[in-house]
Amino acid sequence: MIIVLAKNFGRSQKQKLFELLTRHGDSFRESKLGGQQVIVVPETNSNQLSEVLSRLSGIERVIDVNEPYQLCSRNAKLTDTVISVQEFKTGGGSFGIIGGPCTVESEKQTIEIAIRVRKAGAAALRGGAFKPRTSPYSFQGLKESGLKILAKARAETGLAIITEAMNSEEVSLVAEYADVVQIGTRNAQNYRILEKCGEMRLPILLKRGFSCTLEEFLMSAEYILAGGNEQVILCERGIRTFETYQRYTFPVGAIPALKMLTHLPIIVDPSHAAGRAEFVPSLSFAAAAAGADGLLVEVHNDPKNALCDGRQSLTPKEFEIMIKKCKKIAKLVSK
Ligand code: PEP
Ligand code: MN
């Protein structure tokens, strides 16, 4: 249940409300929804609570939500959440395009790619400075000097910057340079980092954990919203199944399901799902046709020599051709 408070809801009214909830033995949490002050009561022991609350003054609305995730639920907020930073916009009919290298390798490489992805229609540049690598022997990213390069790329191109953080300290550091913090698949259920993201006041791009159900994915997003940060972009990046031919399996059906379950924007990362560049266009077309609110695609000016994920990276030209088609498909399904 979500209790929406009127703007002028006073301290003593709040005290009374908390006492009432405590008397029922209900746990509750203060948060925000659509910019309004709300109290989330995930479960109540009273079957008359809605009725009692609707009689209290200063309570604007009581929303019954039956799912374990509350603030993320489509029932909680009927209008789509739209996230916009710089010229990047996703959700509510806007198809946001993000392109860039898996990892920031040098200033020259990053700026060259930034210029090319912008020309191809991207409004955001994604490049990793802190890289979660399966092997400790692989390149781990340029860290803070990579963030500085990304900030330079924004200054040169006007692209919004998205980059990953892997722990709470990195979230704060990334927020000093970037416009959006990415939480990768491996940290999708790291609840301490999600709590940290809830304290932030910039958008968070949350990838689906590769073994998370949709409900678990939305519960992760709920951590961020419960903390007071409503700006969450969900990213489907493929899940692990018995199939190993592609790197992961892209569950296209997750897109319409998430659109039904939540008001948050959902973008698709076809690159990590496919693991091979030749499959990226087909998965991107499918994502756009299924109603995704955008794409996050790995693009490299020299994929063969990329320090990370070159095998799945498109060249800027391939990206440009693909994005043109994706935009048409998105429009066709009324984006
Ligand atoms: C990435 O975006 O470069 C990345 C590591 O993605 P994921 O967390 O989805 O594996
Ligand atoms: Mn990558």
Side-chain angles (χ1 to χ4, degrees):
M1 173 186 295
I2 298 171
I3 307 168
V4 184
L5 307 181
K7 270 204 187 74
N8 54 0
F9 200 76
R11 220 174 233 257
S12 65
Q13 283 172 300
K14 209 181 256 180
Q15 194 62 35
K16 275 196 195 120
L17 174 59
F18 290 176
E19 276 165 21
L20 174 79
L21 295 170
T22 309
R23 231 179 296 135
H24 287 131
D26 295 342
S27 71
F28 56 89
R29 175 150 186 176
E30 288 188 74
S31 193
K32 276 190 315 186
L33 181 65
Q36 278 188 289
Q37 254 200 98
V38 297
I39 310 292
V40 182
V41 185
E43 275 176 68
T44 176
N45 296 304
S46 156
N47 42 19
Q48 270 118 41
L49 187 62
S50 296
E51 214 183 298
V52 176
L53 290 171
S54 58
R55 285 200 297 269
L56 288 187
S57 67
I59 288 177
E60 207 171 280
R61 233 160 4 114
V62 175
I63 310 168
D64 281 313
V65 182
N66 295 323
E67 293 82 25
Y69 46 89
Q70 300 269 308
L71 297 165
C72 290
S73 169
R74 180 59 92 178
N75 296 330
K77 183 169 168 278
L78 298 177
T79 55
D80 287 346
T81 292
V82 179
I83 307 237
S84 68
V85 265
Q86 313 271 42
E87 285 166 28
F88 176 76
K89 200 168 173 190
T90 179
S94 293
F95 192 73
I97 295 156
I98 309 164
C102 181
T103 185
V104 173
E105 296 170 13
S106 69
E107 187 176 320
K108 188 173 173 293
Q109 166 248 16
T110 305
I111 291 180
E112 189 178 323
I113 296 171
I115 292 168
R116 297 290 302 273
V117 295
R118 190 192 165 96
K119 188 174 157 272
L125 175 73
R126 206 297 312 254
F130 295 97
K131 292 304 304 177
R133 303 304 301 275
T134 303
S135 166
Y137 308 113
S138 302
F139 177 61
Q140 302 289 316
L142 291 179
K143 311 209 163 89
E144 192 169 1
S145 50
L147 297 178
K148 290 190 171 137
I149 292 174
L150 287 167
K152 262 196 191 159
R154 173 179 46 210
E156 293 229 357
T157 61
L159 290 169
I161 298 300
I162 305 178
T163 191
E164 180 164 355
M166 292 193 292
N167 60 41
S168 298
E169 294 73 48
E170 285 173 16
V171 170
S172 303
L173 184 65
V174 162
E176 287 176 30
Y177 294 92
D179 300 290
V180 177
V181 179
Q182 174 179 320
I183 300 299
T185 194
R186 292 158 187 85
N187 270 315
Q189 286 186 299
N190 176 339
Y191 301 117
R192 296 294 84 82
I193 199 172
L194 297 175
E195 281 173 347
K196 177 72 186 174
C197 290
E199 291 166 17
M200 306 307 288
R201 290 298 169 261
L202 79 170
I204 308 294
L205 188 153
L206 175 65
K207 291 207 169 186
R208 178 181 182 174
F210 56 67
S211 64
C212 283
T213 62
L214 291 183
E215 186 168 300
E216 286 165 338
F217 186 19
L218 290 171
M219 289 310 283
S220 292
E222 187 77 13
Y223 263 84
I224 305 173
L225 269 74
N229 185 355
E230 295 187 60
Q231 299 190 79
V232 175
I233 305 166
L234 301 173
C235 178
E236 173 56 76
R237 49 77 73 208
I239 53 174
R240 180 156 281 169
T241 68
F242 56 82
E243 181 57 74
T244 54
Y245 186 70
Q246 291 174 338
R247 194 173 176 188
Y248 293 89
T249 297
F250 168 43
V252 68
I255 308 307
L258 286 167
K259 298 284 329 162
M260 192 179 77
L261 296 172
T262 182
H263 51 86
L264 296 172
I266 299 122
I267 64 162
V268 169
D269 167 356
S271 310
H272 289 86
R276 284 160 65 173
E278 56 272 39
F279 298 129
V280 168
S282 306
L283 300 196
S284 301
F285 302 151
D293 297 300
L295 290 170
L296 187 169
V297 182
E298 289 197 333
V299 182
H300 200 282
N301 51 350
D302 182 12
K304 280 202 176 65
N305 292 305
L307 285 184
C308 180
D309 285 347
R311 186 72 188 83
Q312 67 196 34
S313 299
L314 298 185
T315 62
K317 189 75 211 158
E318 289 165 342
F319 179 66
E320 188 174 343
I321 294 167
M322 182 188 89
I323 289 303
K324 251 192 211 129
K325 295 184 188 168
C326 287
K327 280 187 171 168
K328 280 191 197 153
I329 298 170
K331 206 167 167 194
L332 203 67
V333 294
S334 83
K335 283 280 163 207

